[in-house]
Amino acid sequence: MIKIGRKYLQLGPVLFAMFFLLVQVVADLSLPTLTAKIINEGIAKENLPYIWQMGGIMLAIAITGWLGAILNVYFASSQSQRLGMRLRQALFNKVSYMDTDNVAKFGNATLITRTTNDVTQLQNVFQTALRMMMMSPLLFIGAFIMAWRLDGRLTLVFAIALPILAVVTLINMRISIPRFKVMQEKVDRINLLFQQGLTGVRVIRAFNRDDYEITKFDDANRDLTHNAQVVFTTVAMLLPIMTVILSFTNIGIVWFGAKLIGAQMMPVGNLVAFLTYATQILMSFMQLSMVMVMIPRAQASAGRVSEILNTTDQITDPAVAEELTTAEVSLDFNNVTYQFAEAKRPALDSINLHVTSGQTLAIIGGTGAGKSTLINLIPRLIDPTIGSVILNGTNVKQLRQAEVHDLVAITQQSAVLFSGTVRSNMLFGRPEATDQMIWDALTIAQAADFVREQGGLDMNVEQDGVNFSGGQRQRIAIARTLIKDAAVYIFDDSFSALDFKTDALLRQSIKQESRLKSAIKVIVAQRVATVMDADQILILEHGMVVGLGSHRELMKDNQAYRTIMQSQLSEADLEEVGLNA
Ligand SMILES: Nc1ncnc2c1ncn2[C@@H]1O[C@H](COP(=O)(O)OP(=O)(O)OP(=O)(O)O)[C@@H](O)[C@H]1O
């Protein structure tokens, strides 16, 4: 937590906050003594000029203290808000560049809780630190010294009151601190269930699991509520206990004070001032204990936030990046093997590929064969466990990630659209694109007609593109990939949501578009019809290459390819390609 404070707070404003706090504390501590003086010297001796003079001084001190308090709150609040703002930004930046593996390891729910809830905890504790945490010890010690100066004998009352208060506070902290610490994890769980419930709402409904999900959420919600109730009730109980202790302390002070006054050993004003100091001592002690309860929770939040900020990514820019020396487009896989961290066997095993400018590489294979893993290696979303991926003659590991991302355009398996308009989604692919360029890309992707019909480029796109059909979403996502000026265009099973005719038209348009002529196209597909006219067809099975060649070559001597053909094409189609059913 201290590290976070040192990194995100500004020294100047923090010193100002401390200074103004000191002004307030000095004012608060001097007023009771002046009250004693006014009573002892002014009221008791009926010295009106003295009362006026002292009254004026007290008013000036009160106003100074009040200004000190306002300015302290101003600096404390602006610093803690600034810390929150910068911390949220740092987290967002970190997550934006984080390895996809790390993002998956944390999970969306906790990343959101940590960026919102945990940062708010830290913001609150720093706000409190710059005020209460500094004020309470100063006030406690200061009031004790002032009370001692007024009458050392009366301070013996605290020898009874403070130990009782300390024991009560310790018990309170022992109950509340562990529960405060786990609070964030319980909020995580709520977020996770809520997110899952929202994204999976259709599946849940289709399987009639609404009650099950609702019960699960209810359990988590009750758990959080119960925990919070215990914590806050325990902390709240401090106040009435404190009031009782304070009342008994005051009774003790008045009792002994009256005796001292009766014996003419203490003036009346001192007793009045002493009572005020007693309140300040006990109140600041209680405030301090409440702050102490906040610290472990904030410490837990600081740990959770730092865990994200300190995550080391496996995929980083090289210390000295290489420059691409050629504009010649090519893609090579040299003996590439990839194994997921916890997996028993590689998802890809010894893959060798050589694709040249203008070629289309199609990748076909069953579910889990390793198709997505293979294409994720191209834009360096993951790095090979063994071997290398060479783009335009250079190992992608030697290039800056931004350069690799510039060279590769990709449409993921599930089309992701952002809330905004069709235009804003398209500009995501190419910020400087004109309307004409956008329409051209939409036309190639067979999306122009329905976009025109449904409202044009300014048509609203809702979050996740829910106001489009699956096929329409897919086509806009493809258009967004096509508008980019890239060396390699990748379509990860992106044509699966399209009907046969649109699929064929789209591939035809991509082939004819002169801008895309020299680029490499990588098409992952399940349908043979989609891959048949590719220059190279790669057949993957359990991460291994079981066939690589053109349709004609594979038809001749590749049993795996022939089997896929037989399983997918009609008898008439098989006759046409020379295969009997
Ligand atoms: N994050 C992961 N951790 C561990 N194993 C994984 C992970 N992602 C994928 N795998 C495994 O790696 C293998 C290849 O997965 P991949 O997603 O590349 O298959 P795919 O051919 O694209 O499948 P599909 O056609 O179903 O999308 C599978 O056996 C899968 O279970």
Side-chain angles (χ1 to χ4, degrees):
M1 205 163 74
I2 293 170
K3 271 191 197 152
I4 290 181
R6 274 165 60 180
K7 186 157 182 198
Y8 294 99
L9 292 175
Q10 291 169 303
L11 184 63
V14 168
L15 289 178
F16 274 126
M18 289 162 90
F19 170 74
F20 289 117
L21 183 85
L22 203 63
V23 170
Q24 189 201 344
V25 169
V26 170
D28 284 354
L29 288 174
S30 54
L31 283 174
T33 300
L34 295 178
T35 310
K37 279 194 174 163
I38 234 176
I39 294 171
N40 297 340
E41 305 295 322
I43 298 173
K45 296 180 183 167
E46 292 180 13
N47 186 348
L48 210 56
Y50 185 84
I51 294 175
W52 276 110
Q53 187 199 354
M54 241 346 152
I57 293 172
M58 282 175 75
L59 189 66
I61 291 176
I63 291 172
T64 312
W66 177 68
L67 283 175
I70 290 178
L71 288 167
N72 167 264
V73 169
Y74 168 76
F75 283 110
S77 310
S78 56
Q79 276 302 297
S80 58
Q81 292 301 324
R82 185 177 180 278
L83 174 133
M85 180 192 79
R86 293 191 58 205
L87 208 47
R88 274 190 296 272
Q89 193 64 52
L91 285 167
F92 189 77
N93 293 355
K94 179 75 188 179
V95 174
S96 299
Y97 287 107
M98 194 179 263
D99 283 0
T100 44
D101 269 4
N102 280 334
V103 174
K105 204 176 72 195
F106 279 112
N108 292 354
T110 190
L111 287 175
I112 294 171
T113 319
R114 292 178 199 213
T115 311
T116 51
N117 220 302
D118 284 290
V119 172
T120 308
Q121 292 303 328
L122 286 168
Q123 211 168 291
N124 289 346
V125 89
F126 276 103
Q127 157 98 22
T128 313
L130 291 173
R131 188 155 174 75
M132 300 281 201
M133 250 181 244
M134 288 183 203
M135 186 163 147
S136 307
L138 283 179
L139 208 56
F140 180 82
I141 296 167
F144 200 86
I145 293 170
M146 296 301 275
W148 181 269
R149 282 181 52 188
L150 278 177
D151 198 303
R153 290 157 299 187
L154 269 187
T155 50
L156 287 176
V157 177
F158 299 125
I160 302 166
L162 282 177
I164 296 175
L165 196 57
V167 170
V168 171
T169 311
L170 274 177
I171 295 173
N172 203 288
M173 284 163 90
R174 279 196 75 133
I175 300 174
S176 53
I177 285 176
R179 290 178 181 266
F180 259 128
K181 275 189 178 168
V182 295
M183 198 95 112
Q184 299 307 93
E185 283 159 30
K186 296 189 186 293
V187 175
D188 265 358
R189 172 113 185 105
I190 292 275
N191 278 357
L192 176 78
L193 291 175
F194 201 76
Q195 213 182 28
Q196 228 166 248
L198 280 182
T199 47
V201 66
R202 288 175 194 205
V203 181
I204 293 167
R205 226 162 267 173
F207 282 93
N208 224 353
R209 301 290 281 173
D210 311 54
D211 287 346
Y212 173 74
E213 287 296 316
I214 288 171
T215 311
K216 221 160 63 171
F217 187 83
D218 191 43
D219 288 346
N221 201 11
R222 277 176 197 282
D223 185 30
L224 173 69
T225 310
H226 173 69
N227 192 65
Q229 275 169 345
V230 173
V231 170
F232 291 115
T233 311
T234 313
V235 174
M237 262 162 44
L238 264 182
L239 199 65
I241 294 174
M242 166 78 202
T243 313
V244 171
I245 294 173
L246 187 62
S247 303
F248 278 105
T249 310
N250 282 348
I251 291 170
I253 292 168
V254 172
W255 178 279
F256 290 114
K259 283 187 189 267
L260 290 171
I261 292 169
Q264 306 246 320
M265 291 164 80
M266 185 173 80
V268 180
N270 287 22
L271 179 63
V272 176
F274 202 96
L275 286 170
T276 313
Y277 286 130
T279 310
Q280 283 180 344
I281 289 169
L282 297 185
M283 278 294 181
S284 55
F285 187 86
M286 195 188 69
Q287 270 176 357
L288 198 62
S289 63
M290 283 189 167
V291 168
M292 299 299 254
V293 168
M294 280 179 87
I295 291 177
R297 187 184 184 187
Q299 191 60 46
S301 287
R304 285 159 54 88
V305 164
S306 305
E307 198 186 350
I308 299 181
L309 293 175
N310 298 336
T311 304
T312 42
D313 288 325
Q314 300 300 318
I315 297 178
T316 51
D317 281 341
V320 184
E322 276 185 27
E323 294 296 325
L324 278 176
T325 48
T326 167
E328 184 66 38
V329 175
S330 64
L331 172 68
D332 290 88
F333 273 54
N334 292 338
N335 205 28
V336 170
T337 294
Y338 183 83
Q339 183 154 0
F340 285 100
E342 316 264 298
K344 289 202 180 79
R345 59 179 189 80
L348 286 176
D349 200 348
S350 314
I351 308 288
N352 286 293
L353 277 174
H354 175 63
V355 193
T356 53
S357 175
Q359 280 196 329
T360 298
L361 166 74
I363 303 168
I364 193 164
T367 304
K371 305 180 295 294
S372 297
T373 309
L374 191 150
I375 57 151
N376 283 340
L377 286 158
I378 305 172
R380 221 193 147 199
L381 298 181
I382 51 177
D383 274 340
T385 314
I386 304 171
S388 51
V389 176
I390 312 289
L391 195 56
N392 293 9
T394 307
N395 188 333
V396 287
K397 277 177 149 179
Q398 304 305 325
L399 295 169
R400 281 183 305 109
Q401 290 175 80
E403 186 159 21
V404 178
H405 298 159
D406 274 346
L407 287 169
V408 181
I410 186 164
T411 309
Q412 302 284 357
Q413 204 163 8
S414 57
V416 176
L417 295 186
F418 299 101
S419 56
T421 59
V422 172
R423 181 186 280 104
S424 67
N425 270 280
M426 292 299 291
L427 292 178
F428 212 84
R430 189 172 190 155
E432 77 285 2
T434 60
D435 279 7
Q436 189 53 51
M437 289 156 93
I438 295 177
W439 281 117
D440 288 347
L442 288 169
T443 307
I444 305 172
Q446 311 299 306
D449 285 350
F450 74 82
V451 168
R452 201 170 283 120
E453 270 166 32
Q454 293 183 20
L457 298 184
D458 291 317
M459 187 196 165
N460 205 30
V461 177
E462 282 168 24
Q463 197 181 350
D464 294 330
V466 287
N467 53 334
F468 290 97
S469 76
Q472 290 174 333
R473 256 199 311 271
Q474 202 61 280
R475 286 190 241 179
I476 295 179
I478 292 170
R480 184 178 57 194
T481 300
L482 290 173
I483 202 170
K484 193 169 159 180
D485 197 13
V488 181
Y489 292 85
I490 302 172
F491 305 94
D492 185 3
D493 218 358
S494 327
F495 301 160
S496 57
L498 310 178
D499 56 80
F500 278 87
K501 192 169 152 233
T502 314
D503 178 356
L505 280 172
L506 200 154
R507 279 181 290 112
Q508 190 64 22
S509 310
I510 291 177
K511 214 171 199 174
Q512 285 166 357
E513 173 66 22
S514 56
R515 188 168 62 82
L516 307 174
K517 276 248 153 54
S518 62
I520 289 173
K521 276 77 71 181
V522 180
I523 298 174
V524 172
Q526 305 271 5
R527 294 203 291 242
V528 276
T530 312
V531 304
M532 262 162 58
D533 54 357
D535 301 290
Q536 297 189 56
I537 302 167
L538 174 78
I539 310 168
L540 275 181
E541 242 177 58
H542 304 301
M544 280 182 281
V545 178
V546 293
L548 178 63
S550 66
H551 169 72
R552 200 182 284 266
E553 290 160 354
L554 293 172
M555 277 297 292
K556 219 174 359 174
D557 57 11
N558 190 284
Q559 192 48 44
Y561 191 67
R562 290 161 75 95
T563 310
I564 298 171
M565 279 280 175
Q566 278 163 337
S567 68
Q568 289 194 19
L569 297 188
S570 67
E571 280 191 28
D573 291 333
L574 288 171
E575 284 294 338
E576 209 178 306
V577 295
L579 267 178
N580 294 323

